[in-house]
């Protein structure tokens, strides 16, 4: 008797080919599963669209001779005439230089101090002392900018201020630091460090809290000192967070705060305190030159975007981490 052996089916018939999952189907599945979370995101997205993206359309007045009577879209088109006026303005190079120097000075000075404070607090084992230092350094962040500037002006006043009286006591006479253009940037950065160091240190403390405990145990077994543990365990753990903060800071380097610079500003320190935001306010609001003010603001935004893209690209190639 002859036995007939049937041929085995092909492998493709036995193993079912997996279905290709597209981004659309993945999003639909996620939407059905987590629709409550997407519903919570709906309101912030609408807020960003209405108050952030829709106003971008009004930036077209930078290319027009804006007239409030004719409106944004009814005003005559002038092309790049406003940009030519801006670039030919003899004040423009000084504005860009003052803005960049002040923002870079603030960024460089404010980057290492929160890291040092977070590392120091992470090494202290007394909870009461740690919480007290956190409270003292974190509280100034909630003080209004107007109050901080008022306190600084009173402190530096040559007649009634503590520092002014100290100078007089040692025979230096009445020294008005706010009237000296060379001291404006130092005063601005010093007040900024006082208000933001404690707040920024909280971010780094949160990053240190996520470090694996086994790394500290391995460092202890290897006989590493505290400085060696900070160097080889804590600092590498803080690098991704510090990189992201640096990228965001560089992206906002041309969008430095208006309030503090304007409140510290006076006729004597105008050579260093006049920055792009204060000039936009004076040109666009006080002088009612809305087209030129929008031109300066658009130029500022484009420079900030280019810096953000460049720094993010360099960071991804050097450190492997970035915003996207």
């Amino acid at each position: 008797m002859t036995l007939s052996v049937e041929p085995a089916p092909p492998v493709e018939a036995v193993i079912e080919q997996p279905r290709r999952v597209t981004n659309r189907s993945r999003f639909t599945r996620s939407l059905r599963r987590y629709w409550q979370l997407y519903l919570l995101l709906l309101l912030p997205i609408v807020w960003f669209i209405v108050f952030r993206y829709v106003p971008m359309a009004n930036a077209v007045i930078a290319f027009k001779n804006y007239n409030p009577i004719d409106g944004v879209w009814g005003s005559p088109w002038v092309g790049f005439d406003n940009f030519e006026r801006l670039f030919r303005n003899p004040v423009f190079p000084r504005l860009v230089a003052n803005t960049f120097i002040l923002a870079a000075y603030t960024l460089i000075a404010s980057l290492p101090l929160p890291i040092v404070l977070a590392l120091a607090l992470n090494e202290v084992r007394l909870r009461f002392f740690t919480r007290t230092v956190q409270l003292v350094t974190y509280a100034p962040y909630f003080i209004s900018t107007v109050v901080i500037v008022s306190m600084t002006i009173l402190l530096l006043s040559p007649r009634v201020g503590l520092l002014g009286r100290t100078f007089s006591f040692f025979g230096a006479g009445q020294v008005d630091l706010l009237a000296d253009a060379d001291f404006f940037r130092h005063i601005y950065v010093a007040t900024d460090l006082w208000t933001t160091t404690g707040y920024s240190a909280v971010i780094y403390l949160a990053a240190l809290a996520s470090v694996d405990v086994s790394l500290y145990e391995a460092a202890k077994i290897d006989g590493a000192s505290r400085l060696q543990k900070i160097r080889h365990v804590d600092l590498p753990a803080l690098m991704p967070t510090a990189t992201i903060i640096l990228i965001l800071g560089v992206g906002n380097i041309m969008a430095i705060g208006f309030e503090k610079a304007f409140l510290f500003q006076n006729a004597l320190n105008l050579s260093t305190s006049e920055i792009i935001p204060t000039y936009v306010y004076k040109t666009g609001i006080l002088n009612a030159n809305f087209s030129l003010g929008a031109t300066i603001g658009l130029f500022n935004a484009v420079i900030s975007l280019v810096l953000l893209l460049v720094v993010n690209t360099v960071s991804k190639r050097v450190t492997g981490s970035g915003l996207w």
Side-chain angles (χ1 to χ4, degrees), residues 61 63-78 291:
I61 67 175
F63 304 92
K64 293 189 173 186
N65 185 12
Y66 177 71
N67 187 354
I69 298 177
D70 297 331
V72 176
W73 305 106
S75 300
W77 183 272
V78 296
S291 295

Side-chain angles (χ1 to χ4, degrees), residues 14 24 47 219 260 275 289 303 316:
V14 177
R24 183 176 180 180
W47 184 89
K260 189 186 297 184
I275 58 178
N289 194 343
I303 295 299
K316 289 191 67 175

Side-chain angles (χ1 to χ4, degrees), residues 248-267:
L248 294 175
V250 173
N252 294 324
I253 198 169
M254 300 297 290
I256 193 170
F258 158 80
E259 297 87 355
K260 189 186 297 184
F262 182 75
L263 293 173
F264 275 135
Q265 192 176 90
N266 55 58

Side-chain angles (χ1 to χ4, degrees), residues 115 119 208 227 229-240:
I115 297 177
L119 292 173
L208 289 174
L227 292 179
K229 184 193 67 174
I230 292 174
R231 177 182 177 183
H232 298 287
V233 179
D234 292 337
L235 287 179
L238 294 179
M239 283 304 298

Side-chain angles (χ1 to χ4, degrees), residues 7 47 54 60 78 106 152 177 217 225-226 245 294 296 299:
W47 184 89
V54 172
V60 73
V78 296
T106 305
T152 307
L177 297 180
E217 295 177 352
S225 61
R226 285 193 173 185
I245 292 178
I296 301 172
F299 169 80

